[in-house]
mmCIF file of all heavy atoms in Angstrom:
data_model
loop_
_atom_site.group_PDB
_atom_site.id
_atom_site.type_symbol
_atom_site.label_atom_id
_atom_site.label_comp_id
_atom_site.label_asym_id
_atom_site.label_seq_id
_atom_site.Cartn_x
_atom_site.Cartn_y
_atom_site.Cartn_z
ATOM 1 N N PRO A 1511 -16.356 -0.455 -41.186
ATOM 2 C CA PRO A 1511 -15.536 -1.354 -42.152
ATOM 3 C C PRO A 1511 -14.409 -1.883 -41.356
ATOM 4 O O PRO A 1511 -13.601 -1.180 -40.736
ATOM 5 C CB PRO A 1511 -15.034 -0.370 -43.068
ATOM 6 C CG PRO A 1511 -15.202 1.008 -42.491
ATOM 7 C CD PRO A 1511 -16.323 0.899 -41.483
ATOM 8 N N HIS A 1512 -14.288 -3.091 -41.337
ATOM 9 C CA HIS A 1512 -13.244 -3.925 -40.591
ATOM 10 C C HIS A 1512 -12.760 -5.080 -41.254
ATOM 11 O O HIS A 1512 -13.395 -5.658 -42.158
ATOM 12 C CB HIS A 1512 -13.791 -4.358 -39.160
ATOM 13 C CG HIS A 1512 -14.984 -5.309 -39.352
ATOM 14 N ND1 HIS A 1512 -16.280 -4.966 -39.406
ATOM 15 C CD2 HIS A 1512 -15.028 -6.689 -39.246
ATOM 16 C CE1 HIS A 1512 -17.022 -5.990 -39.448
ATOM 17 N NE2 HIS A 1512 -16.261 -7.022 -39.396
ATOM 18 N N SER A 1513 -11.630 -5.608 -40.763
ATOM 19 C CA SER A 1513 -11.016 -6.791 -41.340
ATOM 20 C C SER A 1513 -11.004 -7.769 -40.290
ATOM 21 O O SER A 1513 -11.264 -7.640 -39.039
ATOM 22 C CB SER A 1513 -9.450 -6.543 -41.901
ATOM 23 O OG SER A 1513 -8.791 -6.056 -40.829
ATOM 24 N N MET A 1514 -10.564 -9.048 -40.536
ATOM 25 C CA MET A 1514 -10.424 -10.127 -39.583
ATOM 26 C C MET A 1514 -9.320 -9.791 -38.506
ATOM 27 O O MET A 1514 -9.458 -10.080 -37.285
ATOM 28 C CB MET A 1514 -10.003 -11.428 -40.281
ATOM 29 C CG MET A 1514 -9.845 -12.610 -39.304
ATOM 30 S SD MET A 1514 -11.448 -13.091 -38.508
ATOM 31 C CE MET A 1514 -12.018 -13.976 -39.970
ATOM 32 N N VAL A 1515 -8.361 -8.949 -38.911
ATOM 33 C CA VAL A 1515 -7.380 -8.503 -37.920
ATOM 34 C C VAL A 1515 -7.835 -7.585 -36.929
ATOM 35 O O VAL A 1515 -7.442 -7.707 -35.724
ATOM 36 C CB VAL A 1515 -6.082 -7.892 -38.679
ATOM 37 C CG1 VAL A 1515 -5.114 -7.359 -37.709
ATOM 38 C CG2 VAL A 1515 -5.424 -8.869 -39.596
ATOM 39 N N ASP A 1516 -8.823 -6.750 -37.332
ATOM 40 C CA ASP A 1516 -9.500 -5.878 -36.501
ATOM 41 C C ASP A 1516 -10.238 -6.532 -35.329
ATOM 42 O O ASP A 1516 -10.158 -6.246 -34.109
ATOM 43 C CB ASP A 1516 -10.439 -4.906 -37.126
ATOM 44 C CG ASP A 1516 -9.860 -3.920 -38.031
ATOM 45 O OD1 ASP A 1516 -8.887 -3.214 -37.443
ATOM 46 O OD2 ASP A 1516 -10.183 -3.660 -39.157
ATOM 47 N N LEU A 1517 -10.922 -7.640 -35.695
ATOM 48 C CA LEU A 1517 -11.566 -8.506 -34.824
ATOM 49 C C LEU A 1517 -10.622 -9.273 -33.823
ATOM 50 O O LEU A 1517 -10.800 -9.468 -32.676
ATOM 51 C CB LEU A 1517 -12.479 -9.504 -35.447
ATOM 52 C CG LEU A 1517 -13.563 -8.931 -36.528
ATOM 53 C CD1 LEU A 1517 -14.315 -10.108 -37.088
ATOM 54 C CD2 LEU A 1517 -14.408 -7.991 -35.665
ATOM 55 N N PHE A 1518 -9.524 -9.764 -34.402
ATOM 56 C CA PHE A 1518 -8.470 -10.446 -33.615
ATOM 57 C C PHE A 1518 -7.925 -9.447 -32.577
ATOM 58 O O PHE A 1518 -7.662 -9.751 -31.462
ATOM 59 C CB PHE A 1518 -7.416 -10.869 -34.587
ATOM 60 C CG PHE A 1518 -6.247 -11.689 -33.977
ATOM 61 C CD1 PHE A 1518 -6.474 -13.025 -33.538
ATOM 62 C CD2 PHE A 1518 -5.074 -11.163 -33.706
ATOM 63 C CE1 PHE A 1518 -5.408 -13.737 -32.888
ATOM 64 C CE2 PHE A 1518 -4.028 -11.782 -33.155
ATOM 65 C CZ PHE A 1518 -4.183 -13.048 -32.739
ATOM 66 N N TYR A 1519 -7.673 -8.227 -33.038
ATOM 67 C CA TYR A 1519 -7.187 -7.085 -32.225
ATOM 68 C C TYR A 1519 -8.140 -6.900 -31.024
ATOM 69 O O TYR A 1519 -7.882 -6.687 -29.884
ATOM 70 C CB TYR A 1519 -6.952 -5.898 -33.036
ATOM 71 C CG TYR A 1519 -6.302 -4.780 -32.297
ATOM 72 C CD1 TYR A 1519 -4.963 -4.430 -32.522
ATOM 73 C CD2 TYR A 1519 -7.150 -3.946 -31.484
ATOM 74 C CE1 TYR A 1519 -4.422 -3.329 -31.896
ATOM 75 C CE2 TYR A 1519 -6.501 -2.794 -30.812
ATOM 76 C CZ TYR A 1519 -5.209 -2.516 -31.046
ATOM 77 O OH TYR A 1519 -4.670 -1.460 -30.499
ATOM 78 N N GLU A 1520 -9.570 -6.901 -31.310
ATOM 79 C CA GLU A 1520 -10.482 -6.567 -30.455
ATOM 80 C C GLU A 1520 -10.551 -7.618 -29.247
ATOM 81 O O GLU A 1520 -10.613 -7.317 -28.071
ATOM 82 C CB GLU A 1520 -11.778 -6.436 -31.041
ATOM 83 C CG GLU A 1520 -12.918 -5.887 -30.336
ATOM 84 C CD GLU A 1520 -12.854 -4.245 -30.199
ATOM 85 O OE1 GLU A 1520 -12.071 -3.766 -30.983
ATOM 86 O OE2 GLU A 1520 -13.705 -3.662 -29.525
ATOM 87 N N VAL A 1521 -10.541 -8.947 -29.679
ATOM 88 C CA VAL A 1521 -10.601 -10.045 -28.707
ATOM 89 C C VAL A 1521 -9.374 -10.111 -27.903
ATOM 90 O O VAL A 1521 -9.471 -10.279 -26.615
ATOM 91 C CB VAL A 1521 -10.846 -11.343 -29.476
ATOM 92 C CG1 VAL A 1521 -10.896 -12.508 -28.516
ATOM 93 C CG2 VAL A 1521 -12.199 -11.298 -30.284
ATOM 94 N N SER A 1522 -8.247 -9.927 -28.554
ATOM 95 C CA SER A 1522 -6.863 -9.923 -27.762
ATOM 96 C C SER A 1522 -7.005 -8.769 -26.837
ATOM 97 O O SER A 1522 -6.429 -8.939 -25.638
ATOM 98 C CB SER A 1522 -5.755 -9.760 -28.722
ATOM 99 O OG SER A 1522 -4.561 -9.553 -28.055
ATOM 100 N N SER A 1523 -7.475 -7.664 -27.001
ATOM 101 C CA SER A 1523 -7.478 -6.449 -26.199
ATOM 102 C C SER A 1523 -8.404 -6.773 -24.935
ATOM 103 O O SER A 1523 -8.083 -6.468 -23.911
ATOM 104 C CB SER A 1523 -7.929 -5.201 -26.926
ATOM 105 O OG SER A 1523 -8.226 -4.201 -26.010
ATOM 106 N N ALA A 1524 -9.543 -7.505 -25.244
ATOM 107 C CA ALA A 1524 -10.470 -7.897 -24.142
ATOM 108 C C ALA A 1524 -9.792 -8.930 -23.244
ATOM 109 O O ALA A 1524 -9.908 -8.851 -22.124
ATOM 110 C CB ALA A 1524 -11.836 -8.316 -24.840
ATOM 111 N N LEU A 1525 -9.223 -10.052 -23.841
ATOM 112 C CA LEU A 1525 -8.751 -11.010 -23.009
ATOM 113 C C LEU A 1525 -7.533 -10.578 -22.134
ATOM 114 O O LEU A 1525 -7.261 -10.965 -21.051
ATOM 115 C CB LEU A 1525 -8.151 -12.157 -23.880
ATOM 116 C CG LEU A 1525 -9.323 -13.084 -24.440
ATOM 117 C CD1 LEU A 1525 -8.849 -14.044 -25.464
ATOM 118 C CD2 LEU A 1525 -10.099 -13.869 -23.263
ATOM 119 N N GLY A 1526 -6.772 -9.517 -22.724
ATOM 120 C CA GLY A 1526 -5.617 -9.063 -22.031
ATOM 121 C C GLY A 1526 -6.012 -7.899 -21.172
ATOM 122 O O GLY A 1526 -5.198 -7.348 -20.525
ATOM 123 N N THR A 1527 -7.419 -7.598 -21.122
ATOM 124 C CA THR A 1527 -7.774 -6.469 -20.234
ATOM 125 C C THR A 1527 -7.072 -5.224 -20.573
ATOM 126 O O THR A 1527 -6.724 -4.461 -19.721
ATOM 127 C CB THR A 1527 -7.928 -6.702 -18.846
ATOM 128 O OG1 THR A 1527 -6.509 -6.911 -18.382
ATOM 129 C CG2 THR A 1527 -8.666 -8.009 -18.412
ATOM 130 N N VAL A 1528 -6.878 -5.018 -21.911
ATOM 131 C CA VAL A 1528 -6.174 -3.697 -22.258
ATOM 132 C C VAL A 1528 -7.016 -2.539 -22.456
ATOM 133 O O VAL A 1528 -6.776 -1.545 -21.860
ATOM 134 C CB VAL A 1528 -5.439 -4.005 -23.578
ATOM 135 C CG1 VAL A 1528 -4.459 -2.918 -24.018
ATOM 136 C CG2 VAL A 1528 -4.604 -5.224 -23.513
ATOM 137 N N GLY A 1529 -8.010 -2.633 -23.284
ATOM 138 C CA GLY A 1529 -8.945 -1.429 -23.525
ATOM 139 C C GLY A 1529 -8.676 -0.738 -24.786
ATOM 140 O O GLY A 1529 -9.316 0.276 -25.048
ATOM 141 N N LEU A 1530 -7.791 -1.215 -25.626
ATOM 142 C CA LEU A 1530 -7.443 -0.567 -26.891
ATOM 143 C C LEU A 1530 -8.450 -1.107 -27.918
ATOM 144 O O LEU A 1530 -8.857 -2.294 -27.901
ATOM 145 C CB LEU A 1530 -5.948 -0.787 -27.318
ATOM 146 C CG LEU A 1530 -4.951 -0.166 -26.643
ATOM 147 C CD1 LEU A 1530 -3.571 -0.584 -27.103
ATOM 148 C CD2 LEU A 1530 -5.080 1.353 -26.603
ATOM 149 N N THR A 1531 -8.760 -0.299 -28.941
ATOM 150 C CA THR A 1531 -9.538 -0.728 -30.061
ATOM 151 C C THR A 1531 -9.153 0.049 -31.266
ATOM 152 O O THR A 1531 -8.726 1.118 -31.321
ATOM 153 C CB THR A 1531 -11.048 -0.450 -29.772
ATOM 154 O OG1 THR A 1531 -11.847 -0.877 -30.790
ATOM 155 C CG2 THR A 1531 -11.405 1.049 -29.386
ATOM 156 N N THR A 1532 -9.521 -0.603 -32.431
ATOM 157 C CA THR A 1532 -9.142 0.027 -33.833
ATOM 158 C C THR A 1532 -10.400 0.932 -34.141
ATOM 159 O O THR A 1532 -10.344 1.539 -35.143
ATOM 160 C CB THR A 1532 -8.980 -1.026 -34.805
ATOM 161 O OG1 THR A 1532 -10.150 -1.903 -34.819
ATOM 162 C CG2 THR A 1532 -7.700 -1.802 -34.537
ATOM 163 N N GLY A 1533 -11.506 0.842 -33.368
ATOM 164 C CA GLY A 1533 -12.657 1.730 -33.624
ATOM 165 C C GLY A 1533 -13.962 0.993 -33.704
ATOM 166 O O GLY A 1533 -15.022 1.672 -33.722
ATOM 167 N N ILE A 1534 -13.810 -0.318 -33.748
ATOM 168 C CA ILE A 1534 -15.083 -1.154 -33.989
ATOM 169 C C ILE A 1534 -15.920 -1.333 -32.727
ATOM 170 O O ILE A 1534 -17.046 -1.581 -32.930
ATOM 171 C CB ILE A 1534 -14.631 -2.578 -34.555
ATOM 172 C CG1 ILE A 1534 -15.854 -3.168 -35.024
ATOM 173 C CG2 ILE A 1534 -13.978 -3.305 -33.486
ATOM 174 C CD1 ILE A 1534 -15.675 -4.575 -35.681
ATOM 175 N N THR A 1535 -15.446 -1.163 -31.553
ATOM 176 C CA THR A 1535 -16.164 -1.569 -30.417
ATOM 177 C C THR A 1535 -17.540 -0.838 -30.197
ATOM 178 O O THR A 1535 -18.560 -1.502 -30.038
ATOM 179 C CB THR A 1535 -15.353 -1.078 -29.074
ATOM 180 O OG1 THR A 1535 -14.114 -1.660 -29.144
ATOM 181 C CG2 THR A 1535 -16.009 -1.417 -27.794
ATOM 182 N N PRO A 1536 -17.777 0.353 -30.466
ATOM 183 C CA PRO A 1536 -19.103 1.018 -30.390
ATOM 184 C C PRO A 1536 -20.044 0.455 -31.459
ATOM 185 O O PRO A 1536 -21.280 0.591 -31.257
ATOM 186 C CB PRO A 1536 -18.763 2.527 -30.722
ATOM 187 C CG PRO A 1536 -17.381 2.823 -30.437
ATOM 188 C CD PRO A 1536 -16.685 1.497 -30.847
#
Side-chain angles (χ1 to χ4, degrees):
H1512 63 274
S1513 63
M1514 181 66 76
V1515 177
D1516 289 313
L1517 303 180
F1518 183 77
Y1519 185 102
E1520 195 79 7
V1521 177
S1522 178
S1523 177
L1525 285 172
T1527 63
V1528 185
L1530 292 174
T1531 178
T1532 58
I1534 191 176
T1535 306

